[in-house]
Amino acid sequence: MWRPRKDIMHVRSLRFVLASALLAPGAQAAVLTVGPGSDCTTSSLGAAIFATGQLGGADEIRVSAGTTYNDQKLTISNQSLTISGGWSSCAANATPIGRTLVSGNGIDSVLTARESSGSRYTLALDRLDISNGGGGSDGVGGGIDISGNWSVTLRRMDVRNNATEFDGGGLAIEGPGNINPATIDIGEDVALHHNQARNGNGGGLHGKYAVVQIRADRVRIHDNSAYRGGGIAATSANVYVGAYGDEIPYTGATGLVVEQNRATDGGGIAMLGSGWLFDAHELTVRNNRANRYGGGIYGINGQLQLGRDYPNYWRVQCAPGDFCSRVEGNVAGLDCPTPGVNAGLGGGLYLDKVNAYVSQTLISDNCARDAAAFFSWGPSTRIESTVFARNLIEESLYTDIVAAGSRVGDPEQTVIVRGTSFFDNRGRTADGGIVPTSLFSASSNATTRFIGVASDSPLYLNGTGHACLVTNAGASAYRNPGSNDFRPAANSLLVDACPEATFAPTYSGIDLQPRCSDDPNYNRGGTCDIGAAEAPLDPFFAGFGNDFE
């Protein structure tokens, strides 16, 4: 079949580069260029990947901007590789000017990476948009499907409009096992959106036997759907949200945003399998919906940690008043917020056999038929410097905002709530009215302890050991609750009302300010302010409330 002269030259050029790299003693890793220009190694991305596979070493492919690569079914096997798009040309002095769209055929995964040698390989993807993948015959990884002993990084990418039958509508990564997990690092300016895992887990992303690290800045996972984990799902995998990616630490981050995803369980996030750790700093989970359990987050058989404090200097943090640790606006159940019979449990979070540590988090505006904000089967829940506000129970007759349940055979549950505020949580009556509702319930065999907790209605707690409780803290007790500024107002009854030895804070306040800062103007029995934050002490903080939202 006759082909234009230019295509022949591209093939010859590719063969020449390949032969030169193979013959050169001690040759460095090859850099191949892809694009329509005469200075490009080849016009075929698939041909470039094949060529690097013959070279060995950590090779690089640079793809020029301005060309869309359609009907792609790309495979990487047993090799380390960097693929970056958006280059101004194929010249040696080219610079990145945008991104390159790589679109699939709607049937197979757009990019598949396989490891079968037992060695560890690296795969770095940058400035590539991946779309129209179908997951292939195994129904896994609609856009990107990675299996084996890999270390993967993603930067400046859109993974969108992919679908698969089972796990990982946008991206799936599965390592060899728990002893030697695969790793993936999702850095700045990455979005996973409008992907679907029809009958599986992880509409945007699924990790199995993997370590998933996500930067808490300029990363969005939104408008995806799955059976479990509409945005993110992980099976026997660890997920870390925080100071990852290439950029240096700073305090003007946006947080990781997981929003407007949908699933049967875990509208935003689902942690599955066993032995997992979910450790998130500056994570916002909002406006997700689950048909059944966990509108925002669903977890079973592991450990969950939400907060803002970092253990060391290396941090990617939102501004103190623009706190990004939020679980807000999520829904569990088909009917909520209108009355109905399709029950949902745990509008914000639903946890089963999970040790939970929740600090410095705004849990607000969630809805469910039961446990609108938080539900746990235990065994352990610890909440500190957190706000529960404006959550709605679909039916107020017998349900609670926060609930700790127990089943036959479950171990005794422990619930400790410290330095927390409950404000304007409501339930809907049978005739549609909105009324104050029960804030907390626990099984009779649970050990509960509330210390330094503020609420605007009674808590009705069982057991002993509770201390420093204020149950009439309405709007006037706070600076501006409508803007989520839950620091105590001037002369609030919450200020300096609990001894530090009793309060015993573990974390700073929800606004990252230290707890138990004595205000010399008040002496109400202690140095610690009751609720999720301390009142500001000096004029430096006078305009700080403007940053709250």
Side-chain angles (χ1 to χ4, degrees):
M1 180 178 180
W2 180 85
R3 294 184 183 274
R5 181 69 177 174
K6 184 170 70 171
D7 287 346
I8 294 176
M9 292 303 295
H10 284 177
V11 173
R12 288 178 178 174
S13 175
L14 180 62
R15 289 174 177 170
F16 176 77
V17 170
L18 176 59
S20 300
L22 290 171
L23 293 173
Q28 296 181 350
V31 178
L32 276 63
T33 57
V34 179
S38 59
D39 56 347
C40 299
T41 308
T42 177
S43 61
S44 168
L45 181 54
I49 291 174
F50 175 80
T52 58
Q54 309 305 304
L55 299 176
D59 301 308
E60 181 179 357
I61 296 172
R62 297 180 178 179
V63 188
S64 64
T67 300
T68 297
Y69 294 85
N70 294 310
D71 298 319
Q72 298 295 298
K73 179 186 177 183
L74 307 172
T75 301
I76 301 168
S77 299
N78 296 326
Q79 66 177 112
S80 292
L81 183 62
T82 295
I83 306 176
S84 58
W87 290 89
S88 58
S89 69
C90 291
N93 63 350
T95 57
I97 61 171
R99 298 185 183 182
T100 300
L101 174 59
V102 182
S103 181
N105 57 23
I107 300 173
D108 301 291
S109 302
V110 181
L111 176 63
T112 299
R114 292 288 183 266
E115 174 275 316
S116 58
S117 69
S119 298
R120 188 80 167 186
Y121 298 103
T122 62
L123 174 62
L125 304 176
D126 191 3
R127 298 189 301 277
L128 297 172
D129 293 343
I130 305 294
S131 70
N132 198 37
S137 59
D138 63 354
V140 174
I144 302 172
D145 181 10
I146 301 166
S147 178
N149 196 356
W150 291 93
S151 294
V152 181
T153 61
L154 270 63
R155 304 286 187 274
R156 294 169 285 271
M157 291 183 62
D158 258 22
V159 180
R160 63 178 184 263
N161 299 322
N162 302 282
T164 191
E165 189 64 26
F166 301 117
D167 298 337
L171 183 154
I173 180 167
E174 181 175 350
N178 282 328
I179 303 301
N180 188 26
T183 66
I184 184 167
D185 189 324
I186 298 177
E188 56 277 359
D189 298 310
V190 173
L192 307 176
H193 61 98
H194 294 94
N195 302 290
Q196 183 180 17
R198 288 182 290 269
N199 294 297
N201 305 316
L205 164 69
H206 180 253
K208 184 176 182 180
Y209 305 136
V211 174
V212 180
Q213 300 177 153
I214 307 176
R215 184 178 179 84
D217 182 44
R218 305 194 318 269
V219 178
R220 288 183 69 212
I221 300 175
H222 64 96
D223 293 286
N224 304 285
S225 62
Y227 176 69
R228 281 182 171 165
I232 300 171
T235 303
S236 301
N238 292 343
V239 178
Y240 301 91
V241 179
Y244 304 100
D246 296 330
E247 297 184 358
I248 61 174
Y250 66 108
T251 56
T254 64
L256 165 63
V257 178
V258 180
E259 63 182 342
Q260 295 178 328
N261 302 285
R262 183 155 188 169
T264 298
D265 299 321
I269 298 168
M271 297 298 298
L272 311 167
S274 61
W276 50 262
L277 170 64
F278 185 92
D279 184 13
H281 304 268
E282 305 289 36
L283 165 67
T284 293
V285 181
R286 67 185 175 208
N287 299 335
N288 302 283
R289 178 181 287 269
N291 296 343
R292 189 170 54 179
Y293 303 139
I297 299 174
Y298 172 96
I300 183 169
N301 292 318
Q303 179 171 311
L304 177 135
Q305 299 174 180
L306 302 179
R308 303 191 65 195
D309 274 341
Y310 281 83
N312 51 47
Y313 169 75
W314 191 260
R315 63 187 62 198
V316 174
Q317 198 131 58
C318 300
D322 186 23
F323 45 87
C324 296
S325 187
R326 302 176 181 230
V327 180
E328 62 182 359
N330 303 287
V331 173
L334 294 175
D335 298 310
C336 211
T338 60
V341 297
N342 295 296
L345 183 58
L349 299 94
Y350 174 97
L351 305 175
D352 189 354
K353 300 182 182 69
V354 172
N355 292 310
Y357 303 82
V358 178
S359 64
Q360 304 160 318
T361 299
L362 174 67
I363 303 177
S364 72
D365 301 286
N366 301 287
C367 182
R369 192 180 185 191
D370 193 0
F374 188 104
F375 181 85
S376 177
W377 291 109
S380 175
T381 299
R382 286 171 168 80
I383 298 169
E384 184 171 342
S385 295
T386 288
V387 173
F388 293 91
R390 301 180 299 274
N391 298 286
L392 176 66
I393 293 173
E394 185 182 327
E395 296 183 9
S396 66
L397 183 60
Y398 56 89
T399 57
D400 309 277
I401 297 300
V402 176
S406 179
R407 298 161 297 200
V408 175
D410 281 351
E412 178 180 317
Q413 186 167 173
T414 299
V415 181
I416 299 176
V417 181
R418 188 186 311 272
T420 290
S421 298
F422 290 83
F423 177 77
D424 197 28
N425 297 283
R426 295 290 184 261
R428 189 187 303 276
T429 63
D431 60 4
I434 303 296
V435 298
T437 191
S438 174
L439 298 178
F440 175 79
S441 69
S443 58
S444 59
N445 68 338
T447 298
T448 61
R449 184 172 300 165
F450 279 54
I451 300 171
V453 175
S455 65
D456 54 359
S457 60
L459 287 165
Y460 301 115
L461 301 172
N462 296 323
T464 60
H466 311 296
C468 300
L469 306 181
V470 173
T471 59
N472 60 339
S476 63
Y478 304 101
R479 290 173 65 90
N480 190 352
S483 296
N484 292 324
D485 185 350
F486 285 94
R487 293 172 302 159
N491 200 31
S492 170
L493 73 168
L494 304 177
V495 175
D496 283 4
C498 190
E500 186 170 359
T502 302
F503 195 103
T506 306
Y507 301 96
S508 58
I510 194 170
D511 58 353
L512 299 179
Q513 303 307 308
R515 301 309 308 258
C516 301
S517 301
D518 184 31
D519 189 330
N521 297 309
Y522 302 100
N523 183 10
R524 296 193 175 102
T527 61
C528 304
D529 293 2
I530 292 174
E534 297 285 308
L537 298 182
D538 58 61
F540 173 78
F541 293 98
F544 194 63
N546 296 329
D547 294 334
F548 281 75
E549 59 180 39

